[in-house]
Amino acid sequence: MVNQYETVFIMTPVLSEEQIKETVIKFRKYLTDNGAEIVLEDNWGMRKLAYPIQKKSTGFYHLIEFKAEGSIIRDFEINFKRDERIMRFLTVKLDKHAVAYNEKKRKKAREQEKAEA
């Protein structure tokens, strides 16, 4: 059964722009190669962490919202654990209310962009 998931991961702040892009492409490619459909991808940029992780106080945040079979999540998260560029990650299965909220939020953002243009 296909479910909708949201994954946020934090990359170490010592990475270059090129290394950040490579990391994001690696995880996006893993999802698409395993039959997932990417709904939304959002780069949040560098942000201050709530508490130090590996003696670092900032990190590059990235969000991927996708539809996939539940069976690929375990291996997807193992890839995060094996990648030394990833400091933290969190994958959440979205329920119908969260999916509706995200769609409403995206629609509102699109309407706002049209109004500004």
Side-chain angles (χ1 to χ4, degrees):
M1 184 179 149
V2 176
N3 295 311
Q4 194 152 338
Y5 297 92
E6 195 172 71
T7 298
V8 175
F9 55 97
I10 307 171
M11 296 169 279
T12 182
V14 297
L15 299 177
S16 68
E17 279 293 319
E18 190 61 37
Q19 290 171 320
I20 292 168
K21 287 178 186 172
E22 286 174 18
T23 306
V24 171
I25 289 169
K26 171 187 170 184
F27 291 108
R28 185 185 320 128
K29 184 175 178 350
Y30 177 84
L31 288 171
T32 55
D33 288 351
N34 287 285
E37 173 194 341
I38 295 178
V39 176
L40 174 76
E41 199 170 331
D42 196 8
N43 181 10
W44 293 352
M46 184 179 280
R47 294 189 171 202
K48 189 172 180 345
L49 302 174
Y51 55 89
I53 302 172
Q54 300 169 359
K55 297 183 181 178
K56 294 173 179 69
S57 60
T58 59
F60 291 104
Y61 283 68
H62 198 84
L63 170 120
I64 301 176
E65 187 178 330
F66 58 97
K67 294 179 183 177
E69 294 286 331
S71 57
I72 73 164
I73 300 301
R74 188 172 147 268
D75 289 335
F76 184 52
E77 291 189 339
I78 288 172
N79 283 325
F80 280 120
K81 290 176 185 175
R82 289 182 178 159
D83 195 324
E84 61 191 23
R85 299 172 288 194
I86 303 298
M87 296 191 320
R88 287 283 191 279
F89 64 92
L90 179 66
T91 301
V92 178
K93 178 181 171 188
L94 301 176
D95 63 3
K96 65 181 180 181
H97 303 292
V99 170
Y101 174 78
N102 285 350
E103 288 172 357
K104 183 179 172 184
K105 190 168 67 171
R106 282 193 293 274
K107 183 179 178 186
K108 188 176 180 179
R110 272 184 256 138
E111 289 173 356
Q112 189 174 2
E113 286 175 8
K114 285 181 184 178
E116 290 174 359

